[in-house]
């Protein structure tokens, strides 16, 4: 072995030890390995930085943004609620369902694209089912690779071995030639995961932040908001049409708080019909067919509706928003949008508000915030608040824009805001954008399946559309959706694979192993080919492993006068079923942060699964393709 090869293998070994230990961040380890190979003269600066311009890395960035759009618009919550209905409360049924659905999608879409589409859905599903997302995300990543074996286009190694066979004069593999192998992989993978899932994270690390305050749902339940929330619809002949809330002065006349106005838009396009949610401000003008959310007693609401000719909607009346009904919303979400929210504030001991009437507090004038309720010891005051005098120890439930609530939190002379308004605002989904996000996602999947444009172009187009169409509010929020640790990890490890090939380390390993096993017959050779591919894919990309080993496997089969098909399928399966490392495939890296996985989780779960699939394939491949 030459000097560059020794340095490359030593760097790989040191990086592997650090990855396993988990004491150093994985992205820092990847950059350290990259610097060592550059300083050692193994890689040029251009080669070392090539990983960050690689299409896979660029595609991963775009997929994070697409996933963010799916999550922020509530589309993930919508789909996950449907899956939750199918899976029920059983963790086992949820695991099987997630893996089956992911496998089917992975048969036609790249495994990276499949995970990006499914990950926000699965995270939302796990939260709804009250289980740790880590219980489902690693099975999700593995299932995308298992499903890739179902069709010719499911994964890149399938295309590589097809090209190798055709170049050697053999018959071209059909679209579904891989299906029997894929079905066996999926069955074996799901059965194995039912046992191996016990090694996945069960509890959230760090626990719940005690300083984070109550959730929106908890606040709504605590103040019994939904018991005093009513909806009235503006009729075409109503007396309040074309008038502003300032002109109407409804709080003074009826003792009601106007919470929100929802207005249908885009009526010409049924697919993109949504309902626009607006904060009820003084200058908000009432229009025909508006649905006005009011807070107060039923008698006051009825008087308001009778006087102005409004339609009092039943509390459970259907208001469709992309096939989601209002009653399906959490309590707190009826009072909050991406722009507007609710929060609880406490009066400080020296607050100038103590002893003042609510109507003289200046909350609306100074902070543009409404007071919805007061908690006084064990009593909740929800009506005629203007005439209430504030006392020390009172907790106030307020509503306003998240920005205004944040400004109130910054001014701690009179009140202290419980919780973190900006963080709470990020949890509120823009449900009215859900159909647009669905359209963008379907467009991306269509482009990926048809291959009209390169995969990276399809993904980046979808990412840009998510931002431009408002599914992600702005570029700053788009950047926040990207998990940069995963990006740096993959970008740093791709050039390391270049070093493995460039120094001849990969060729030395494969040639030596195959030549050593060739005399023991085709079955032993098949085992050797599979193991070599499986081990090599832990350090270089599955595509690079397949390109390197497919010709060697073909040559070995010809020397043994054996059928080359089982050997080449062993290369494709061995390259695709790499689960023992977070950086061996993009799906493994994508779920690492969201699932709060350490390298040890991949060794405890992924390595046994990889070995189980290997044993099953060694037994099945000779049956499907006799030597």
């Amino acid at each position: 072995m030459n000097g560059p090869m020794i340095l490359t293998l030593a760097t790989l070994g040191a990086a592997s030890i650090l990855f396993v230990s988990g004491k150093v961040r994985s992205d820092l380890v990847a950059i350290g390995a990259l610097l060592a190979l550059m300083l050692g003269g193994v890689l040029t600066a251009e080669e070392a930085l090539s990983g960050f311009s690689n299409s896979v890395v660029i595609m991963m960035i775009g997929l994070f943004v697409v996933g963010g759009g799916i999550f922020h618009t509530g589309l993930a919550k919508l789909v996950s609620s449907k899956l939750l209905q199918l899976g029920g409360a059983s963790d086992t049924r949820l695991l099987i369902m997630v893996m089956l659905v992911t496998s089917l999608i992975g048969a036609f879409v790249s495994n990276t694209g499949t995970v990006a589409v499914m990950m926000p859905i699965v995270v939302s599903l796990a939260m709804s089912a009250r289980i740790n997302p880590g219980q489902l995300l690693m099975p999700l990543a593995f299932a995308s690779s298992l499903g890739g074996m179902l069709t010719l286009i499911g994964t890149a190694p399938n295309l590589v071995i097809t090209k190798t066979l055709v170049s050697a004069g053999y018959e071209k593999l059909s679209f579904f030639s891989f299906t029997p192998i894929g079905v066996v992989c999926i069955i074996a993978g799901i059965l194995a995961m039912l046992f191996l899932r016990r090694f996945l994270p069960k509890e959230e690390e760090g626990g719940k932040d005690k300083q984070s305050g109550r959730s929106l749902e908890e606040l709504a339940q605590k103040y019994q908001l939904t018991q005093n929330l009513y909806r009235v619809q503006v009729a075409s002949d109503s007396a309040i049409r074309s008038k502003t809330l300032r002109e109407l002065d409804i709080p003074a006349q009826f003792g009601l708080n106007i919470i929100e106005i929802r207005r249908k838009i885009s009526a010409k396009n049924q697919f993109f019909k949504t309902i626009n949610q607006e904060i009820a401000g003084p200058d908000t003008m009432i229009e025909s067919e508006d649905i006005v959310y009011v807070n107060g007693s039923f008698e006051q609401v009825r008087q308001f509706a009778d006087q102005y000719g409004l339609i009092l909607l039943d509390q459970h009346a259907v208001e469709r928003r992309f096939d989601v009904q209002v009653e399906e919303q959490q309590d707190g979400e009826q009072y909050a949008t991406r722009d507007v929210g609710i929060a609880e504030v406490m009066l400080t001991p020296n607050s100038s508000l103590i002893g003042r009437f609510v109507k003289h507090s200046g909350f609306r004038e100074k902070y543009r915030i409404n007071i919805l309720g007061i908690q006084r010891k064990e009593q909740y005051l929800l009506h005629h608040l203007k005439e209430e005098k504030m006392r020390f120890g009172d907790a106030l439930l307020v509503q306003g824009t998240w920005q205004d609530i944040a400004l109130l939190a910054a001014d701690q002379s009179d009140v202290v805001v419980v919780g973190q308004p900006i963080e709470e605002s990020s949890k509120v989904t823009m449900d009215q954008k859900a159909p647009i996000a669905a359209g963008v996602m379907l467009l991306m999947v269509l482009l990926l399946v048809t291959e009209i444009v390169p995969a990276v172009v399809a993904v980046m187009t979808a990412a840009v559309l998510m931002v431009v169409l408002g599914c992600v509010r702005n570029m700053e929020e788009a950047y926040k959706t990207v998990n940069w640790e995963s990006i740096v990890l993959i970008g740093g490890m791709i050039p390391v694979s270049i070093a493995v090939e460039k120094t001849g380390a990969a060729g030395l390993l494969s040639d030596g192993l195959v030549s050593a096993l060739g005399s023991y017959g085709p079955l032993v050779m098949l085992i050797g080919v599979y193991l070599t591919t499986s081990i090599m894919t832990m350090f270089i990309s599955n595509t690079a492993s397949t390109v390197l080993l497919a010709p060697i496997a073909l040559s070995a089969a010809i020397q043994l006068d054996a059928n080359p098909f089982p050997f080449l399928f062993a290369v494709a399966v061995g390259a695709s079923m790499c689960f023992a490392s977070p950086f061996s495939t993009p799906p493994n890296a994508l779920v690492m942060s969201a699932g709060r996985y350490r390298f040890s989780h991949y060794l405890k779960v992924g390595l046994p699964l990889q070995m189980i699939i290997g044993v099953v394939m060694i037994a099945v491949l000779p049956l499907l393709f006799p030597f």
Side-chain angles (χ1 to χ4, degrees), residues 95 99 134-135 137-140 142 189 192-202 577-581 588 597-613:
L95 176 70
M99 292 191 72
Q135 284 281 303
L137 286 175
M138 191 176 286
L140 164 71
F142 294 167
M193 281 306 303
L194 290 176
F195 172 77
L196 295 171
R197 62 179 172 171
R198 67 185 64 186
F199 300 112
L200 292 172
K202 291 185 177 62
M577 305 295 112
C578 190
F579 308 129
S581 165
N588 291 2
Y597 299 124
R598 296 187 296 272
F599 197 97
S600 58
H601 287 117
Y602 291 88
L603 290 179
K604 292 177 182 177
V605 180
L607 183 58
L609 178 61
Q610 192 168 324
M611 295 171 64
I612 291 169
I613 296 292

Side-chain angles (χ1 to χ4, degrees), residues 47-122:
E47 289 172 333
L49 297 175
S50 63
F52 296 100
S53 62
N54 188 283
S55 61
V56 172
V57 174
I58 303 300
M59 193 161 70
M60 282 180 65
I61 294 173
L63 289 170
F64 274 120
V65 177
V66 172
I70 293 170
F71 194 84
H72 290 161
T73 58
L75 182 61
K77 187 185 295 184
L78 169 64
V79 177
S80 67
S81 66
K82 301 300 181 185
L83 293 178
L84 190 60
Q85 291 174 6
L86 295 174
S90 168
D91 293 357
T92 299
R93 287 174 60 185
L94 285 176
L95 176 70
I96 294 173
M97 183 181 60
V98 166
M99 292 191 72
L100 281 177
V101 171
T102 305
S103 298
L104 291 175
I105 297 175
F108 303 97
V109 180
S110 71
N111 54 8
T112 307
T114 300
V115 170
V117 170
M118 289 293 294
M119 188 163 69
I121 295 173
V122 170

Side-chain angles (χ1 to χ4, degrees), residues 375-389:
Q375 180 189 2
R376 183 168 295 157
K377 295 182 179 178
E378 300 301 321
Q379 185 181 8
Y380 290 90
L381 309 176
L382 301 171
H383 307 300
H384 307 294
L385 294 178
K386 288 192 173 185
E387 304 304 322
E388 286 294 333
K389 187 179 291 187

